[in-house]
Amino acid sequence: IVFTVALIGMFAPQLTRSLRRLRDSAQRIAGGDLKEQLLIRTTITEVADLADDLEAMRRELVNQSDALEHQALHDALTGLPNRNLFNDRLEQAIITAHRSGTMLAVCMLDLNRFKEVNDTLGHNMGDLVLQQIALRMRGALRASDTVARMGGDEFTILMPVVEDREHAAMAVEKLTKVLGDPLHLNGHILDVGACIGIALYPEHGEDAELLIRHADM
């Protein structure tokens, strides 16, 4: 009995602390706090296994949360940012440009003959065209620029810093040349091309909606 009491006295505090930490971690996870990694060191096998299971569940929830966030902010077909993410980045860029007194450019882009591709070769070919166009645009612009798909064959581009209107025009001219090269897809040679409009902050507007509208016009 004395030996048993001694063992209980030795392991009970450790078990209590470990279970309390498990409880606190489970409550944080249930409340949506998934940032903190679960680290519980214990020699009690059952508690360690329970802690490992809870940590595995936390990691899975983090992965699911990241995937859902990505889906909410990106176009499923091209992987580009969608309208929501573009608008958020544009708002932040306007704030930065206002504080620093710099200029930014917003571009609206429509593909010229995309409807003909869809009508004659089908939507699957149209999807391939959009994916290739997205790759070309990302390759032709700076890493700091944002290319987004707004829907259909309409894309937007944010250049958060441009020196002047000539700088913006040169970047767009480079882009039109890249998009003007024929696409070779599934045995077809497709000449698509694009029409691009540019609006500059603050010359053509000082808020996101106005800049997008003027670029579209």
Side-chain angles (χ1 to χ4, degrees):
I1 293 174
V2 172
F3 179 71
T4 302
V5 171
L7 286 177
I8 293 174
M10 182 184 304
F11 289 107
Q14 179 184 355
L15 178 61
T16 301
R17 286 194 302 270
S18 298
L19 291 176
R20 188 181 297 117
R21 292 186 61 189
L22 279 174
R23 180 203 60 193
D24 294 343
S25 297
Q27 289 176 345
R28 286 198 304 272
I29 292 173
D33 182 3
L34 305 175
K35 297 180 180 179
E36 185 176 346
Q37 184 178 1
L38 181 61
L39 294 174
I40 295 180
R41 295 179 176 85
T42 178
T43 58
I44 303 174
T45 304
E46 290 78 5
V47 175
D49 291 342
L50 183 59
D52 290 341
D53 291 342
L54 189 60
E55 171 61 15
M57 182 182 71
R58 185 196 66 83
R59 289 197 300 266
E60 179 62 24
L61 289 173
V62 168
N63 292 336
Q64 292 179 6
S65 177
D66 291 344
L68 289 173
E69 182 179 2
H70 186 274
Q71 292 173 9
L73 297 175
H74 292 79
D75 174 57
L77 178 64
T78 63
L80 294 176
N82 62 15
R83 184 186 302 271
N84 292 332
L85 182 54
F86 180 84
N87 288 339
D88 181 68
R89 291 184 179 179
L90 177 54
E91 294 281 1
Q92 296 301 316
I94 289 174
I95 293 172
T96 301
H98 176 72
R99 289 175 178 171
S100 60
T102 55
M103 181 183 297
L104 65 80
V106 175
C107 305
M108 293 291 294
L109 182 150
D110 287 318
L111 300 182
N112 289 336
R113 288 170 285 276
F114 181 72
K115 185 177 184 300
E116 287 82 349
V117 172
N118 265 342
D119 291 344
T120 58
L121 299 177
H123 292 286
N124 289 336
M125 182 62 72
D127 289 346
L128 291 176
V129 169
L130 293 173
Q131 290 170 342
Q132 290 300 311
I133 291 295
L135 288 173
R136 287 190 178 188
M137 284 194 290
R138 282 187 292 194
L141 296 169
R142 300 169 299 185
S144 59
D145 299 333
T146 295
V147 182
R149 184 186 177 205
M150 306 298 272
D153 66 337
E154 185 177 70
F155 297 84
T156 51
I157 300 164
L158 167 62
M159 302 178 192
V161 178
V162 292
E163 297 175 5
D164 48 38
R165 60 168 53 208
E166 288 75 19
H167 179 199
M170 288 177 59
V172 170
E173 183 179 357
K174 174 185 176 183
L175 187 59
T176 55
K177 289 181 179 179
V178 169
L179 298 180
D181 292 337
L183 294 168
H184 297 261
L185 296 171
N186 293 348
H188 299 279
I189 300 177
L190 305 177
D191 184 12
V192 180
C195 178
I196 305 176
I198 312 172
L200 301 174
Y201 170 90
E203 181 178 349
H204 301 131
E206 297 187 4
D207 64 78
E209 182 181 355
L210 190 58
L211 285 169
I212 292 174
R213 189 185 324 135
H214 284 171
D216 197 22
M217 291 170 59

